[in-house]
Amino acid sequence: MTEGHPSVPSPPAPPWAQPPAPVPPPPRKSGRGLWIALGAVGVALLVLLVGSVVAVSVYLDRSSSSTAAGSDEIDALLAEHTRALKERDLAAYLAPFDPADKELVARQTTLFHNLTKLPLAEARYEEFGATTDTEATFDVRVSFVHRFEGMDPTPVEELYKWTVSRAGADAPFKVTAVGGALVDGPARDMTTYYPAPWDTGRPLHVEKTPHTVVIADESLRAEAQRYAPLAERAATEDLAAWRAGGVDATVPQGFVISLVKGKKELGSLYRTTKETPAESGVAIPVPPAGAIDGEDASAPEVGTSRVVIDVADEYHFTKGDRELEIFRHELAHAIVNVLLKRGPGATALDGPENWVVEGFAEYLAHGRKPFTTSDRTAESTKILRSYDYRQDLPGNAAWKMEGRLSYHYWLGHSAMSYIAERHGEQKVFQLVTEHYRGTPIGDVTRDVLGVSYADFEAGWAEHLRSAAR
């Protein structure tokens, strides 16, 4: 489930042109809304801060060719690896990795130094699924459970796949390859959560504020230092707005934010995108520990979010002055992501209405000001006036219609402005919360606003045209 933010307002289609066919939203809500298939995860990470308590255990489901002694050796290897990280013993930390693979050793060396910079309150490794074993080489799938101090409401889970081999029965195990692991089954989608920023093989710079951890490549140190105060301001303002909304729900009180330079990297942290993303930023929901395999139906779908923002984006950074807007937008997604509840068997179109998802993020991004203050207004008004019939709120299937994405964001923003003006601002937060929790939008308007969806939409449409004249 990723929620993005389009970089620039889309130009209106020529009035003589036939509207293009709707483009259905991708399985994870990037510019389209808040939607993910939360099962797929992979990333691996051996992490521990001084003072953190880390328990490591990998249980291998081995074939008859394996021995209990071998399993014990793996446990001992990982226990020693954890000790080495905790005690900052680089030589011992690198000992399990094949010394003949210089690139592998170099990446693990960088990983070791990166991990020591992260403010983690919890970190442990647990079994995830079965292990495929042969006589000489086998794969170990390990779940890394971790929680950033003050940022994550609950521990979350990422996966590694280690390839382990030994030269002979009495030889020590050696890790010959490290990568991300995917899960199988209906919950799997294109997100793998690998590589995380600390896995890229490049040194990290970390800026910590009361409500954010800002992570960037060392090459972006200046940008991290420049934007960390802005990220803190966005977090403070969004959280204050949420508290004023009066909703009884546990949400994150801090945020882990990665800064990148360029769309390619925007689409390759914590996920694998099929196409180069067009958005400026994204808030990627991460499942809580134990939820990836879907065995616990009562577990929440989202434990926390990882925000990634492209500081090379022209609209918000290099040619615009909208940095605060993009931070507030993505952190708004990160606040409500944890409320998501779709139920088993849900598909990409079964999530919350995108006009609710993106409208709420736009509402907070613009400091809860009326939608007419948005930079999208000029182009969107032209599109609105080109319609000869009453405008409806866009459905999820048509959300990413070519030439209409920015306009749809604007319509979502206008709906939130209408609710605040007509019913009071707290109703905005109540409506968003109940819809994220799985209540159909028609039931939400009746229960929260006291009107049917048809009457709500008719009132909104009248307000839209009146305000946008």
Side-chain angles (χ1 to χ4, degrees):
M1 153 190 230
T2 59
E3 294 79 39
H5 192 290
S7 299
V8 294
S10 304
W16 60 85
Q18 183 72 19
V23 179
R28 340 197 72 256
K29 274 182 177 171
S30 222
R32 86 139 182 92
L34 179 112
W35 186 226
I36 48 172
L38 280 172
V41 178
V43 92
L45 165 64
L46 300 172
V47 72
L48 183 55
L49 210 59
V50 174
S52 295
V53 177
V54 177
V56 178
S57 58
V58 176
Y59 302 94
L60 305 181
D61 181 9
R62 295 173 171 269
S63 67
S64 58
S65 63
S66 286
T67 65
S71 181
D72 290 342
E73 287 179 71
I74 290 290
D75 289 340
L77 180 155
L78 293 171
E80 170 61 13
H81 196 61
T82 301
R83 180 207 64 78
L85 181 59
K86 182 177 181 179
E87 298 180 10
R88 304 297 189 266
D89 185 343
L90 177 59
Y93 182 83
L94 296 176
F97 302 101
D98 183 3
D101 190 332
K102 302 302 183 184
E103 181 180 353
L104 175 64
V105 172
R107 290 181 70 90
Q108 293 302 311
T109 301
T110 302
L111 175 60
F112 174 87
H113 292 303
N114 285 342
L115 297 181
T116 63
K117 301 174 183 178
L118 302 178
L120 293 169
E122 297 181 47
R124 65 183 184 272
Y125 288 82
E126 298 177 347
E127 171 193 15
F128 191 95
T131 296
T132 302
D133 185 10
T134 66
E135 291 183 359
T137 302
F138 54 91
D139 291 335
V140 180
R141 213 164 43 159
V142 183
S143 170
F144 170 64
V145 180
H146 66 284
R147 179 173 64 85
F148 274 77
E149 177 70 48
M151 307 296 143
D152 298 330
T154 185
V156 295
E157 187 173 34
E158 300 171 316
L159 300 181
Y160 261 152
K161 183 177 76 173
W162 281 11
T163 300
V164 181
S165 65
R166 68 191 320 168
D170 297 327
F173 285 128
K174 287 294 179 183
V175 179
T176 60
V178 175
L182 287 172
V183 296
D184 297 319
R188 173 175 172 171
D189 70 2
M190 68 180 181
T191 299
T192 66
Y193 299 97
Y194 183 88
W198 42 86
D199 292 310
T200 61
R202 301 185 297 270
L204 289 182
H205 178 76
V206 179
E207 291 285 330
K208 178 76 167 64
T209 73
H211 297 93
T212 73
V213 175
V214 177
I215 303 172
D217 278 359
E218 184 63 39
S219 62
L220 293 177
R221 172 192 288 262
E223 286 84 350
Q225 292 173 334
R226 180 188 314 150
Y227 294 124
L230 199 67
E232 174 64 20
R233 177 182 169 185
T236 301
E237 292 179 1
D238 278 6
L239 289 170
W242 179 260
R243 288 191 294 270
V247 172
D248 182 16
T250 299
V251 298
Q253 297 301 303
F255 311 94
V256 178
I257 304 169
S258 292
L259 304 182
V260 299
K261 202 166 189 177
K263 304 306 180 189
K264 182 177 180 180
E265 193 168 6
L266 179 65
S268 63
L269 280 187
Y270 303 112
R271 59 177 178 161
T272 300
T273 53
K274 296 179 181 178
E275 299 178 359
T276 301
E279 63 260 28
S280 311
V282 63
I284 302 174
V286 183
I292 294 173
D293 54 16
E295 291 183 357
D296 184 0
S298 65
E301 293 194 32
V302 181
T304 193
S305 296
R306 295 291 178 251
V307 173
V308 188
I309 291 178
D310 175 17
V311 296
D313 178 74
E314 291 186 355
Y315 181 70
H316 289 95
F317 291 93
T318 61
K319 292 185 179 179
D321 187 20
R322 305 175 184 90
E323 296 98 336
L324 181 60
E325 177 186 314
I326 184 62
F327 279 101
R328 285 193 298 212
H329 182 105
E330 299 306 335
L331 298 189
H333 283 312
I335 288 174
V336 294
N337 276 354
V338 299
L339 304 176
L340 183 68
K341 186 65 177 177
R342 296 179 289 117
T347 69
L349 298 181
D350 293 329
E353 296 291 336
N354 287 329
W355 68 260
V356 174
V357 173
E358 298 300 345
F360 177 71
E362 286 288 275
Y363 184 66
L364 290 195
H366 290 85
R368 296 133 68 198
K369 295 177 182 177
F371 73 106
T372 51
T373 64
S374 169
D375 290 339
R376 304 182 194 276
T377 299
E379 293 293 339
S380 295
T381 301
K382 293 178 184 178
I383 297 175
L384 177 64
R385 289 170 180 165
S386 71
Y387 284 96
D388 294 329
Y389 51 87
R390 196 195 84 182
Q391 172 66 60
D392 296 326
L393 283 163
N396 284 4
W399 180 256
K400 293 191 73 175
M401 179 182 289
E402 185 178 345
R404 293 293 186 265
L405 182 58
S406 181
Y407 176 58
H408 289 168
Y409 271 62
W410 184 74
L411 293 181
H413 187 183
S414 73
M416 296 299 149
S417 290
Y418 169 68
I419 294 169
E421 182 177 314
R422 179 70 180 271
H423 300 277
E425 190 174 52
Q426 287 196 339
K427 294 297 184 180
V428 171
F429 295 89
Q430 293 173 21
L431 178 140
V432 171
T433 297
E434 291 310 309
H435 191 40
Y436 265 71
R437 285 172 168 169
T439 305
I441 191 62
D443 293 338
V444 173
T445 59
R446 185 188 64 243
D447 297 343
V448 175
L449 305 180
V451 296
S452 68
Y453 186 76
D455 287 343
F456 162 74
E457 194 172 40
W460 160 78
E462 182 180 348
H463 172 81
L464 174 70
R465 288 196 177 273
S466 174
R469 281 187 185 135

